[in-house]
Amino acid sequence: MEKTVYNSFPLHPECPDLRRLADNPAEALLRAEADVVAAENAAEADRYRMLENLEEAQQDGRGVTRRTFVAGAAATATALATAQFVTTSASFAATKTGTLIHVFLYGGLDGLSLVAPDNDPVLAKDRPDLLLGNDSLALSRGFKLTSAFKPLEQWLKAGQLGFIPAVSDERLSRSHFQAADACNLGGLPNETGGRGWLDGLVDNLGKGTAFRSVGIGSTLPRSLVGNNGAISLNSVGSLRLNGDEKFRAATEKAIKGLFTGINHPVEEAVQEGMGALATAQKLAAKPYQPAEGVTYEGVGRAFQQLAQLIKGGANVRVATVGMGGYDTHENQGTREGGQLHRRLGELAKAMAAFFTDLGPQAADVTIMVSSEFGRRIRSNGGGTDHGHGGVITVLSGKKLAGSLLGTWNGLDKPDSGDVPEYNNMFNVYGSIAQGRFGLTNAEVQKVFPRMKYAPMKLYA
């Protein structure tokens, strides 16, 4: 008796007896299911060709409505939508405007433990246990930088590393969840429709590859959620079709065959998406070898994935990296050997390894490092509590206007114990992106629609 599964397709078109497919019952079942898939794909291809003929008939005035065609096409496209690349429009042309990477430090970085005014009387009084050490690096305008960032000293001297202090926004609370959400969306959820600011930015960048928006990690950050088909991955090699390895090549072949010669826009999207998948597989075919002397550790492994994509020609436009461990209510450790000093040192080493690994291609890359909020000026006796007025770090292949950027009017008049907001967070976001991609003020304004964008002088 013939056994059927998946609509009306037999387990095997010519030999329905399952035992005759293989000696091993499990192997026989796998073969049977593979034949079912092949039969379904052939039928779907025939259906697409039929729908194409229907559309042509409609265009010739023979009474078939476009709705009939679109409904049929959408059904098959939806069946493949679980593959991230399917709806992505790909174009592997080289970009002249480079890559923006947003590194988000979860927990609320104490900006005054990263950069601070030297010999400041307010700091000496309110946080004597958290002052930066004598081994700090000198910045412009009387500021100094934690020695944890010493791995980035060569870029500091080259004018490519800068810091914007006193950054906040009136819409940010002291709640980790609310503030991080607003930072990633570029405003409140009801202002942005829940769409990430980086996804809005991509609207201005034109067509790109399936890798134009990449989040390094197991889940997509809110900043990339939206309309442009961002990819979330832990490693380049993890981007692949789902399913059993032994059927992956056959599945790819079947998808290519199904969407070939159908004279429909979905054909281009799928074929280009498959090309992006092939690129990822090619890059992952052998272990990645960074530039001589470069090693990636800790959060650096996320940067390694981006280096592999960028150097491999994947044309990444925007990307994200997340790093936790910055909620320092106690045992903050601003100086060498301290907890926060070690975290910042890990970040600095990763960024230095990344820019060294990129070599000349680093000229086309900008890294922006931010956090959901800053922390209070006064020490609580070993740590700091949630506050405002954080610091945004910029490491760029383009020369910056200085090592300390934006407005700074001192700590004489704190905002309820916090660093005042001298620089709006989203003006900083927008200005960094504008300088990286050459956008107009109007284009940046569309990314942050509920605020009046005020560009800042950040680049030389």
Side-chain angles (χ1 to χ4, degrees):
M1 179 177 178
E2 182 174 282
K3 181 179 180 181
T4 59
V5 295
Y6 300 113
N7 302 320
S8 59
F9 297 104
L11 277 175
H12 191 276
E14 298 176 356
C15 182
D17 186 352
L18 193 64
R19 290 171 296 178
R20 293 169 60 186
L21 297 180
D23 293 334
N24 184 305
E27 182 70 20
L29 181 60
L30 288 174
R31 291 185 181 182
E33 290 178 342
D35 285 333
V36 169
V37 172
E40 287 183 320
N41 283 342
E44 286 293 340
D46 289 340
R47 189 164 71 90
Y48 253 85
R49 293 186 182 96
M50 177 197 69
L51 290 170
E52 178 187 353
N53 292 333
L54 288 175
E55 183 184 41
E56 290 176 354
Q58 184 270 334
Q59 292 172 346
D60 291 341
R62 289 181 290 199
V64 181
T65 66
R66 183 173 295 274
R67 179 174 296 181
T68 303
F69 172 78
V70 172
T76 299
T78 301
L80 292 169
T82 52
Q84 295 187 72
F85 56 84
V86 167
T87 57
T88 302
S89 179
S91 173
F92 279 84
T95 173
K96 295 181 180 179
T97 51
T99 305
L100 174 64
I101 300 168
H102 186 190
V103 179
F104 201 85
L105 307 181
Y106 289 93
L109 168 67
D110 177 34
L112 292 171
S113 291
L114 176 60
V115 298
D118 196 11
N119 297 318
D120 186 277
V122 175
L123 297 181
K125 177 177 178 293
D126 286 350
R127 55 165 58 203
D129 55 329
L130 296 177
L131 298 176
L132 296 180
N134 294 329
D135 56 352
S136 299
L137 307 175
L139 300 179
S140 59
R141 297 163 62 184
F143 269 65
K144 57 185 178 181
L145 167 67
T146 174
S147 60
F149 262 44
K150 194 169 180 61
L152 291 168
E153 189 172 16
Q154 74 177 79
W155 290 277
L156 177 64
K157 292 179 178 178
Q160 296 174 264
L161 178 65
F163 304 87
I164 304 101
V167 176
S168 191
D169 185 273
E170 62 181 8
R171 290 166 287 189
L172 303 181
S173 72
R174 288 185 173 85
S175 160
H176 289 297
F177 178 83
Q178 188 276 342
D181 202 41
C183 291
N184 281 298
L185 294 176
L188 299 178
N190 65 342
E191 298 172 344
T192 63
R195 187 184 186 194
W197 81 275
L198 285 175
D199 187 73
L201 174 63
V202 169
D203 286 350
N204 296 299
L205 304 183
K207 292 180 68 174
T209 72
F211 303 107
R212 67 176 179 168
S213 301
V214 177
I216 304 299
S218 57
T219 58
L220 196 67
R222 291 273 274 175
S223 59
L224 289 176
V225 171
N227 304 331
N228 289 294
I231 291 175
S232 176
L233 53 84
N234 285 309
S235 66
V236 174
S238 67
L239 183 62
R240 62 178 65 188
L241 288 175
N242 292 330
D244 196 303
E245 180 69 35
K246 67 175 69 177
F247 296 115
R248 194 163 290 146
T251 303
E252 292 178 20
K253 182 179 179 180
I255 291 174
K256 290 178 182 178
L258 177 61
F259 289 94
T260 298
I262 61 173
N263 191 27
H264 188 273
V266 74
E267 177 181 359
E268 179 184 358
V270 173
Q271 295 292 344
E272 291 174 340
M274 294 298 291
L277 183 66
T279 297
Q281 292 172 338
K282 180 179 178 180
L283 292 174
K286 58 182 180 179
Y288 176 67
Q289 292 294 327
E292 185 177 356
V294 172
T295 57
Y296 288 104
E297 299 176 345
V299 73
R301 296 186 183 95
F303 284 97
Q304 178 179 326
Q305 306 309 313
L306 292 175
Q308 187 173 6
L309 287 172
I310 292 171
K311 292 170 70 176
N315 200 9
V316 178
R317 308 305 299 279
V318 298
T320 62
V321 172
M323 185 181 185
Y326 289 89
D327 195 17
T328 53
H329 289 278
E330 57 187 8
N331 301 320
Q332 184 163 304
T334 298
R335 302 197 182 195
E336 185 172 1
Q339 172 183 290
L340 183 56
H341 193 279
R342 287 195 301 270
R343 280 317 261 165
L344 291 171
E346 178 184 332
L347 175 62
K349 289 176 183 176
M351 292 165 65
F354 179 59
F355 257 47
T356 301
D357 193 11
L358 291 181
Q361 288 178 273
D364 297 323
V365 175
T366 294
I367 300 174
M368 179 182 81
V369 184
S370 68
S371 192
E372 64 260 43
F373 45 59
R375 306 187 80 83
R376 297 178 70 77
I377 298 173
R378 185 183 295 276
S379 167
N380 64 16
T384 47
D385 297 320
H386 300 177
H388 291 295
V391 171
I392 288 182
T393 301
V394 185
L395 174 63
S396 181
K398 297 180 65 175
K399 192 169 183 178
L400 302 173
S403 58
L404 193 83
L405 302 160
T407 299
W408 175 256
N409 291 326
L411 296 171
D412 296 335
K413 298 179 179 179
D415 179 11
S416 301
D418 295 341
V419 178
E421 180 194 322
Y422 293 138
N423 302 289
N424 179 266
M425 175 174 285
F426 304 123
N427 285 335
V428 178
Y429 279 17
S431 297
I432 292 172
Q434 184 173 32
R436 175 70 271 164
F437 296 114
L439 305 177
T440 66
N441 289 353
E443 287 172 327
V444 178
Q445 182 69 65
K446 292 179 182 178
V447 180
F448 307 104
R450 291 299 183 94
M451 61 171 283
K452 179 63 177 176
Y453 171 61
M456 301 171 60
K457 175 68 173 177
L458 300 181
Y459 296 89

